[in-house]
Amino acid sequence: MQTGRERERERERERERAPEQNQKQKKSVPVLPWMRSPIDVILIDECPLNLLPFLDPRLEVALQKMGITSLFPVQVGVWQETIGPGSFERDLCINSPTGSGKTLAYALPIVQMLSTRAVRCLRALVVLPTRDLALQVKEVFSAIAPAVGLSVGLAVGQSSIADEISELIKRPKLEAGICYDPEAPLLHLQSSVDILVATPGRLMDHINSTKGFTLEHLSYLVVDETDRLLREAYQSWLPTVLQLMRSSDGDLRSLFPHTSTFLPSTFGSLKTIRRSGVERGFKGKAYPRLVKMVLSATLTQDPSKLAQLDLHHPLLLTTGQRRYRLPERLESFQLICESKLKPLYLVALLQTFQGEKCIVFTSSVESTHRLCTLLNFFGNLQFKIKEYSGLQRQSIRSKALKAFRAGDIQVLVSSDAMTRGMDVEGVINVINYDIPAYIKTYIHRAGRTARAGQAGRCFTLLRKDEVKRFKKMLQKADHNSCLVYSVPSDSIELLRSVYTSALEKLKESVESESYKKHKIKLKSSRMVKRKELNNSKV
């Protein structure tokens, strides 16, 4: 019988296989008209901050404190479409390589636009698929938003929901001589944040159960890593958010029957703005409308998936005519190795890096755990190795990631939980220990290096029978410059005896872990039976 985790992994594999299995059918699916005439940001030059039109001087100072003196092409392209005359008249779809600066591309214009209205309520929502990615994006917003008086919140389930509520919702202090009606507590609840970065599950928790949490005033919705968020239901978060926004333009009382028609005075100006006025060029629609920005390094072209977003006159910004694009300064290598000696080739390769930061990708959480355990049994290696996978608790993953960022760990062995969007400064090398099954996966893995215009290398370990399939996969990204890399044979021979010992220790470790899991499972089963017996007696 499959466990819940095994069923989820099988569903994930099915979702990944679907694009390949239906490739012929997809070729016949027409491309949406607006995707045929994109804006090519490759044609846009980097722009120094002092030449960026309309940039708030306070934001310029905040960016300089981050070490940013100019914007990358994708950031300039988005700025041109969002700031100034005609700003945000169309929803934006951004298909740009990993490491090209997509987070700041949407964070900067949103913060600039929100700073023009002096109200405190939730006006911008950024949704991401994982906690660590959400934390990373929140840091970007937090670096610039306070400069213009804006507050940023986080809803990812890392802390208790009670702690999150205390950070997101505030109650005004009781004034002397005024007694509030305890039967209508929502009258006195206000948002503590202007911008919320969230994962879908925790977002739905707040929508369904947090008193005072409302999307009534939402003006901006960002869907980052769009293809993944559209592929997975995540408790129907997207239809829920869009329905809430449609309802907020109509009769709020039918949507929030427990809320009085009178909002706190701090909401008054925005409430008037949202209910009055007509958006230029789109007569009869409330202004400001909900603006959507969707982003990915491998943005889907499937009309049925994009239709879920209910985009408004969308505009596509992309890099070149290719759907799949790798970082410009990425060097790709293939290392042919014997299957049984694959860990030896990996260790020999890691030794050549001399302590440079490296991420090693495997095909599953189990493989990640086994490989990391095995490598740590080699002993006397001149670099530290840690695991990063879905098998770990969030706190342990976050601790490993923090140590990796700080340089205390040089090698991070990871499942594909690390592939999307994660930005770790100084990662020079990426290794595909297991060949990625699809070009999308390769692009996201390789994108952990060669970010923000820096150089980087991606190595893929291959058996001889995998070389042809790997070459065919890279052709989908028009990537034909994957060089053959080799490690000295004497390096492999020197590691053989250590490898034999490490394998024995790994076997013992696996048996010990299996025994512990069996005991835990047996104990849990007995507790369930005891509870059922007690219930039957009652």
Side-chain angles (χ1 to χ4, degrees):
M1 180 180 294
Q2 286 183 317
T3 65
R5 189 182 295 275
E6 288 170 341
R7 287 194 296 272
E8 178 58 32
R9 286 198 300 271
E10 182 60 32
R11 284 194 294 269
E12 177 67 23
R13 285 192 288 267
E14 289 296 328
R15 286 191 292 265
E16 288 287 346
R17 280 196 291 267
E20 300 292 328
Q21 292 170 345
N22 299 323
Q23 189 176 14
K24 292 183 179 179
Q25 294 90 322
K26 282 197 170 188
K27 286 182 179 178
S28 63
V29 174
V31 176
L32 291 167
W34 57 268
M35 299 194 87
R36 295 181 187 144
S37 52
I39 290 179
D40 190 348
V41 298
I42 286 181
L43 304 178
I44 301 174
D45 294 327
E46 287 191 25
C47 181
L49 294 181
N50 61 342
L51 297 180
L52 195 66
F54 308 110
L55 179 63
D56 189 307
R58 296 170 295 175
L59 290 177
E60 182 176 350
V61 172
L63 290 169
Q64 289 171 344
K65 288 181 179 178
M66 296 169 67
I68 297 172
T69 57
S70 63
L71 296 189
F72 292 138
V74 68
Q75 296 165 347
V76 178
V78 173
W79 184 266
Q80 291 173 347
E81 296 300 327
T82 54
I83 303 298
S87 62
F88 281 117
E89 283 194 340
R90 305 175 68 177
D91 288 338
L92 298 183
C93 296
I94 302 162
N95 185 41
S96 182
T98 56
S100 59
K102 291 190 291 295
T103 302
L104 190 62
Y106 62 76
L108 186 59
I110 286 176
V111 169
Q112 167 113 351
M113 293 297 286
L114 293 183
S115 68
T116 62
R117 299 179 195 144
V119 289
R120 176 53 56 83
C121 51
L122 180 54
R123 293 176 282 161
L125 173 64
V126 183
V127 185
L128 302 114
T130 66
R131 293 176 182 177
D132 289 329
L133 189 51
L135 285 165
Q136 180 178 290
V137 169
K138 197 258 186 181
E139 288 178 2
V140 175
F141 273 100
S142 295
I144 58 175
V148 290
L150 299 177
S151 178
V152 186
L154 186 69
V156 298
Q158 189 174 31
S159 57
S160 70
I161 193 165
D163 290 339
E164 281 190 357
I165 291 172
S166 66
E167 293 292 326
L168 300 180
I169 306 296
K170 67 177 179 181
R171 296 176 181 268
K173 294 180 181 179
L174 293 175
E175 298 180 16
I178 296 179
C179 182
Y180 293 119
D181 181 3
E183 297 299 321
L186 292 181
L187 281 172
H188 321 302
L189 299 177
Q190 300 178 23
S191 175
S192 296
V193 300
D194 303 281
I195 302 162
L196 179 64
V197 181
T199 50
R202 184 45 67 95
L203 172 64
M204 289 300 294
D205 289 342
H206 287 296
I207 288 174
N208 292 327
S209 60
T210 298
K211 292 181 179 180
F213 184 85
T214 175
L215 303 181
E216 175 188 355
H217 305 288
L218 199 66
S219 295
Y220 303 99
L221 172 63
V222 178
V223 186
D224 204 341
E225 296 297 344
T226 307
D227 47 340
R228 179 171 175 182
L229 285 171
L230 292 181
R231 188 177 67 230
E232 301 178 20
Y234 286 114
Q235 303 177 44
S236 300
W237 75 271
L238 181 58
T240 301
V241 170
L242 295 182
Q243 184 57 44
L244 286 170
M245 294 312 303
R246 294 188 192 104
S247 300
S248 72
D249 284 331
D251 186 359
L252 276 176
R253 285 171 294 179
S254 65
L255 179 62
F256 300 107
H258 49 272
T259 307
S260 166
T261 55
F262 297 100
L263 290 173
S265 58
T266 52
F267 289 160
S269 59
L270 187 61
K271 187 179 181 184
T272 303
I273 289 171
R274 192 165 185 85
R275 298 294 174 263
S276 63
V278 177
E279 180 184 1
R280 180 170 62 255
F282 301 98
K283 187 177 180 181
K285 292 193 176 182
Y287 180 84
R289 66 179 179 84
L290 175 63
V291 175
K292 306 183 194 80
M293 301 175 71
V294 300
L295 308 95
S296 179
T298 52
L299 186 66
T300 180
Q301 295 181 351
D302 188 333
S304 64
K305 290 183 178 179
L306 291 170
Q308 299 174 46
L309 294 160
D310 190 23
L311 297 172
H312 175 82
H313 291 249
L315 177 66
L316 176 62
L317 284 78
T318 187
T319 48
Q321 298 302 311
R322 299 200 302 264
R323 181 186 176 191
Y324 301 125
R325 192 177 184 91
L326 290 159
E328 289 186 10
R329 299 191 63 190
L330 177 75
E331 291 183 288
S332 296
F333 300 94
Q334 53 183 319
L335 178 59
I336 315 301
C337 55
E338 298 176 41
S339 180
K340 292 182 179 180
L341 300 180
K342 201 173 179 181
L344 297 185
Y345 284 84
L346 174 61
V347 172
L349 179 59
L350 289 172
Q351 288 176 331
T352 66
F353 296 160
Q354 298 181 338
E356 294 176 342
K357 282 185 183 178
C358 175
I359 302 176
V360 180
F361 284 107
T362 71
S363 59
S364 68
V365 292
E366 291 85 357
S367 296
T368 295
H369 181 62
R370 285 197 303 270
L371 179 61
C372 185
T373 304
L374 175 65
L375 293 178
N376 280 304
F377 283 143
F378 268 73
N380 297 322
L381 295 178
Q382 300 303 307
F383 44 85
K384 291 185 179 180
I385 307 165
K386 285 289 183 180
E387 171 186 353
Y388 182 96
S389 79
L391 281 179
Q392 300 169 305
R393 294 196 305 272
Q394 178 64 36
S395 58
I396 295 175
R397 277 210 311 272
S398 297
K399 185 177 179 181
L401 186 57
K402 183 178 180 180
F404 186 54
R405 290 185 192 276
D408 298 330
I409 295 168
Q410 292 75 45
V411 179
L412 203 63
V413 183
S414 175
S415 64
D416 282 327
M418 187 93 182
T419 55
R420 289 181 176 267
M422 294 304 297
D423 185 10
V424 178
E425 186 177 352
V427 174
I428 306 297
N429 305 289
V430 166
I431 300 176
N432 293 309
Y433 182 77
D434 294 321
I435 178 176
Y438 311 103
I439 186 61
K440 275 189 176 184
T441 307
Y442 182 85
I443 287 171
H444 285 289
R445 287 182 180 181
R448 297 317 99 212
T449 186
R451 299 177 67 81
Q454 300 298 310
R457 300 182 295 180
C458 180
F459 299 83
T460 303
L461 274 58
L462 300 169
R463 302 189 308 266
K464 289 183 179 179
D465 61 335
E466 293 175 326
V467 174
K468 187 176 180 180
R469 178 163 67 92
F470 181 62
K471 182 179 180 181
K472 186 177 179 181
M473 181 183 68
L474 291 185
Q475 287 174 348
K476 294 178 181 178
D478 294 331
H479 189 60
N480 300 308
S481 58
C482 189
L483 304 174
V484 175
Y485 190 91
S486 59
V487 294
S489 56
D490 57 344
S491 297
I492 304 296
E493 291 302 319
L494 287 172
L495 292 167
R496 278 183 179 269
S497 60
V498 182
Y499 180 44
T500 302
S501 174
L503 282 176
E504 288 297 322
K505 293 177 181 177
L506 176 65
K507 183 179 178 182
E508 293 173 6
S509 176
V510 170
E511 289 175 351
S512 176
E513 288 179 359
S514 297
Y515 176 70
K516 288 179 181 178
K517 288 179 182 178
H518 176 70
K519 285 186 68 177
I520 292 172
K521 188 176 180 180
L522 187 61
K523 184 178 180 180
S524 177
S525 177
R526 287 173 178 169
M527 289 177 66
V528 171
K529 288 181 179 178
R530 192 178 298 117
K531 187 175 181 180
E532 289 176 349
L533 181 61
N534 291 337
N535 289 339
S536 64
K537 288 180 180 179
V538 174

